[in-house]
């Protein structure tokens, strides 16, 4: 079914809307992100 | 999957979608331009007065009839509505891409926490879907193969020249 084309040769019945696409590029070099800071999740509210 | 890789892949897909929408819009613009040229040609009275139409009066009559049908149904053609939507979607989608591409440096340098990167990926998908749904308002956009091929090639060239990386 996938890839079957209509008469004008350009539309396919793969779907409607934005089609999901495989990545075409490799990710550049990265550094590891920091782990979430557990102290940050206390809400930040101050008494007083 | 590594959350930074997920961010990168979403960025990659978003850029491909930008190129896809651009090419789709260009194809519909071309179709629209050809239709306008045909309508202008048929509605021009001096062209209608050409002596050749005395020989081919049946052809001229058929062209006039076709142009009248086109004029009558044009406001209801999906192509017209799609083109209108894509003209709005394209620049906004490029803006979304630039917004998230600007975050890539901090993401790649490890300056943003994993949970925040994960949230950014979700926000990127949400903005893209909202943009699409708002402008298309339920109108279907059939997959266009030539635009897909163009988008893949253009995105490959874009990432190669921008980031100096080899494609998958």
């Amino acid at each position: 079914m996938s890839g079957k084309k209509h008469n004008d040769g350009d539309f396919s019945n793969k779907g409607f809307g934005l089609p999901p696409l495989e990545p075409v590029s490799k990710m550049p070099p990265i550094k590891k992100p920091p782990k979430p800071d557990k102290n940050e999740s206390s809400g930040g509210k101050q008494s007083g | 999957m590594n959350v930074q890789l997920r961010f990168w892949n979403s960025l990659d897909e978003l850029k491909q979608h930008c190129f896809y929408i651009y090419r789709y819009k260009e194809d519909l613009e071309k179709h629209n331009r050809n239709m306008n040229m045909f309508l202008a040609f048929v509605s021009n009275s001096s062209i209608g007065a050409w002596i050749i139409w005395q020989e081919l009066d049946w052809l001229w009559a058929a062209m006039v009839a076709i142009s009248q049908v086109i004029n009558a149904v044009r406001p209801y053609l999906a192509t017209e509505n799609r083109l209108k939507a894509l003209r709005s979607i394209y620049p906004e989608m490029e803006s979304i891409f630039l917004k998230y591409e600007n975050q890539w440096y901090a993401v790649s340098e490890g300056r943003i926490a994993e949970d925040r990167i994960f949230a950014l990926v979700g926000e990127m998908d949400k903005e893209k879907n909202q943009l699409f749904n708002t402008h298309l308002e339920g109108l279907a956009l059939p997959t266009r193969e030539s635009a897909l091929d163009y988008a893949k090639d253009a995105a490959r060239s874009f990432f190669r020249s921008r980031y100096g990386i080899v494609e998958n």
Side-chain angles (χ1 to χ4, degrees):
Chain A
M1 181 178 154
S2 67
K4 188 183 171 188
K5 292 185 176 182
H6 289 267
N7 289 337
D8 76 351
D10 198 13
F11 292 111
S12 78
N13 57 1
K14 276 181 184 168
F16 297 90
L18 282 178
L21 297 168
E22 294 277 325
V24 294
S25 62
K26 268 188 185 169
M27 182 172 68
I30 51 163
K31 292 176 186 170
K32 275 277 174 196
K35 293 288 174 193
D37 185 355
K38 283 172 187 167
N39 295 330
E40 258 183 25
S41 60
S42 59
K45 276 194 174 180
Q46 292 181 349
S47 61
Chain B
M1 183 193 283
N2 175 311
V3 74
Q4 287 161 302
L5 179 59
R6 189 158 172 197
F7 184 94
W8 178 260
N9 287 348
S10 293
L11 205 58
D12 180 307
E13 188 183 44
L14 180 57
K15 192 62 188 172
Q16 287 189 70
H17 281 150
C18 287
F19 282 123
Y20 177 69
I21 293 296
Y22 169 78
R23 180 56 185 264
Y24 210 125
K25 180 181 78 68
E26 287 298 299
D27 287 349
L28 295 188
E29 295 276 16
K30 194 176 167 187
H31 178 268
N32 200 39
R33 202 162 41 242
N34 290 341
M35 198 187 282
N36 284 338
M37 282 170 65
F38 172 74
L39 293 174
F41 181 83
V42 177
S43 65
N44 189 306
S45 55
S46 36
I47 293 172
W50 284 356
I51 197 89
I52 191 171
W53 301 121
Q54 288 178 11
E55 300 292 322
L56 299 168
D57 57 338
W58 58 271
L59 179 60
W60 184 252
M63 285 164 66
V64 169
I66 291 168
S67 75
Q68 286 172 347
V69 171
I70 291 172
N71 271 324
V73 303
R74 207 170 181 190
Y76 308 103
L77 289 177
T79 308
E80 291 285 311
N81 295 325
R82 282 184 194 129
L83 179 56
K84 194 177 160 194
L86 294 180
R87 280 176 182 151
S88 302
I89 290 171
Y90 173 65
E92 288 188 45
M93 196 173 255
E94 281 287 358
S95 298
I96 295 173
F97 175 77
L98 288 175
K99 177 182 162 186
Y100 287 97
E101 193 194 17
N102 284 339
Q103 304 263 12
W104 170 247
Y105 182 71
V107 170
S108 68
E109 286 292 301
R111 292 181 189 172
I112 301 180
E114 280 186 352
D115 54 348
R116 179 63 193 138
I117 297 173
F118 191 78
L120 282 172
V121 173
E123 287 166 23
M124 195 190 314
D125 288 343
K126 191 176 169 187
E127 281 189 50
K128 187 168 65 173
N129 287 335
Q130 270 180 353
L131 170 67
F132 211 67
N133 293 335
T134 302
H135 289 291
L136 279 173
E137 293 173 339
L139 189 70
L141 194 67
T143 303
R144 202 174 179 93
E145 294 294 326
S146 62
L148 269 183
D149 293 341
Y150 170 82
K152 285 174 189 168
D153 289 343
R156 254 185 223 115
S157 300
F158 173 84
F159 286 110
R160 195 187 300 130
S161 65
R162 193 96 146 193
Y163 294 93
I165 44 179
V166 181
E167 63 264 28
N168 281 338

